[in-house]
Amino acid sequence: MEKLDLGKLYKSYYTAKAKPQLIAFETAHYASITGQGDPDGETFARATEALYTVSYGVKGLCKGKEQDFTVPKLEGLWWVDGDPRQALEVPRAEWRWKLLIRMPAYVTIEQVEEARQQAMKKKKELVELGDVRFEELHEGQCVQMLHVGPYATEPETLRQMEDFIHAEGWAYAGLHHEIYLSDSRRVEPAKMKTILRHPVTRREKAEVENGGLLK
């Protein structure tokens, strides 16, 4: 039985260049969990464990139907209350996030729920399992760039993306999105690779929708 590799099937989704680029993405489905707090804290770690537990449970259900797949990379949407671009200006404890793991197109909400229920019976102490959901996301047009290095230096890459967005007549139109291509537990910070992505819309459209008030 051949195992589906979403990284190969959706190559443009899981790759990015070392300079800002505009690219469009279709609707995709995910297992997700939402929370708040420092990404180095216990809350984030437990949420990540819960999300992976359910995702591997879905993989097991699909494998039983000869639809096995490789669980893909962890992703995250990030924001704070108010302007989503101001996250670096507030304490990390106030950061809000939605962690995502993309699911194959054939995975259903019923399978995610079944995997979640099975996991809750096996890991009763991991109460965060109750927060895992099946979710649909459509970002459409996005500007993205590959960030190489520690998370602390992401602002340098984000500035390049922001310059590109404004120079090309675009405006922000969604939440900051990251795809973690490297495992921070196994790759030294200087060599870590992360895709930084942001949905955009034409600036004139955004100005109309905001009554002419656009930063």
Side-chain angles (χ1 to χ4, degrees):
M1 176 175 59
E2 185 176 356
K3 185 184 299 186
L4 177 65
D5 186 336
L6 296 182
K8 294 180 179 179
L9 181 63
Y10 302 112
K11 189 173 181 180
S12 63
Y13 185 90
Y14 289 103
T15 59
K17 298 180 179 179
K19 60 181 181 179
Q21 64 178 141
L22 180 69
I23 187 167
F25 295 102
E26 72 285 355
T27 299
H29 298 95
Y30 306 81
S32 73
I33 187 168
T34 303
Q36 178 178 355
D38 190 328
D40 291 326
E42 182 179 1
T43 298
F44 187 89
R46 289 176 63 87
T48 303
E49 180 184 356
L51 182 62
Y52 269 110
T53 298
V54 173
S55 297
Y56 275 98
V58 174
K59 168 186 167 67
L61 293 174
C62 291
K63 185 176 181 179
K65 296 182 178 180
E66 297 189 347
Q67 292 181 315
D68 195 12
F69 65 93
T70 300
V71 174
K73 303 295 185 180
L74 179 68
E75 308 178 40
L77 303 179
W78 296 84
W79 72 98
V80 294
D81 290 334
D83 189 334
R85 287 170 287 168
Q86 303 303 315
L88 298 177
E89 299 177 10
V90 302
R92 289 159 65 96
E94 296 181 20
W95 288 3
R96 295 185 180 274
W97 34 262
K98 178 177 288 184
L99 302 179
L100 307 164
I101 292 180
R102 187 165 180 171
M103 295 285 105
Y106 51 73
V107 169
T108 65
I109 187 173
E110 289 79 13
Q111 287 174 308
V112 172
E113 178 62 18
E114 182 179 352
R116 187 173 72 90
Q117 292 294 336
Q118 290 180 355
M120 291 174 68
K121 293 178 181 178
K122 296 178 181 178
K123 291 188 173 183
K124 295 181 180 180
E125 75 288 351
L126 189 59
V127 296
E128 289 79 4
L129 288 165
D131 297 325
V132 177
R133 298 288 183 267
F134 179 79
E135 182 158 337
E136 180 178 285
L137 177 65
H138 177 72
E139 292 182 300
Q141 293 281 5
C142 294
V143 170
Q144 68 175 21
M145 182 174 171
L146 179 66
H147 173 73
V148 180
Y151 301 134
T153 61
E154 282 187 9
E156 300 170 12
T157 301
L158 292 172
R159 277 192 289 272
Q160 294 183 57
M161 293 172 61
E162 184 169 15
D163 289 344
F164 176 87
I165 289 170
H166 287 294
E168 297 296 321
W170 296 94
Y172 294 100
L175 298 176
H176 173 68
H177 189 167
E178 299 186 351
I179 302 179
Y180 307 104
L181 302 181
S182 302
D183 187 338
S184 60
R185 299 168 299 178
R186 297 181 174 86
V187 180
E188 61 181 275
K191 295 182 179 180
M192 289 198 306
K193 295 181 179 180
T194 308
I195 296 176
L196 305 184
R197 182 176 294 163
H198 214 300
V200 293
T201 187
R202 274 299 174 190
R203 187 173 181 85
E204 56 269 23
K205 179 181 178 182
E207 289 175 337
V208 170
E209 293 176 349
N210 287 276
L213 299 176
L214 184 66
K215 295 181 178 179

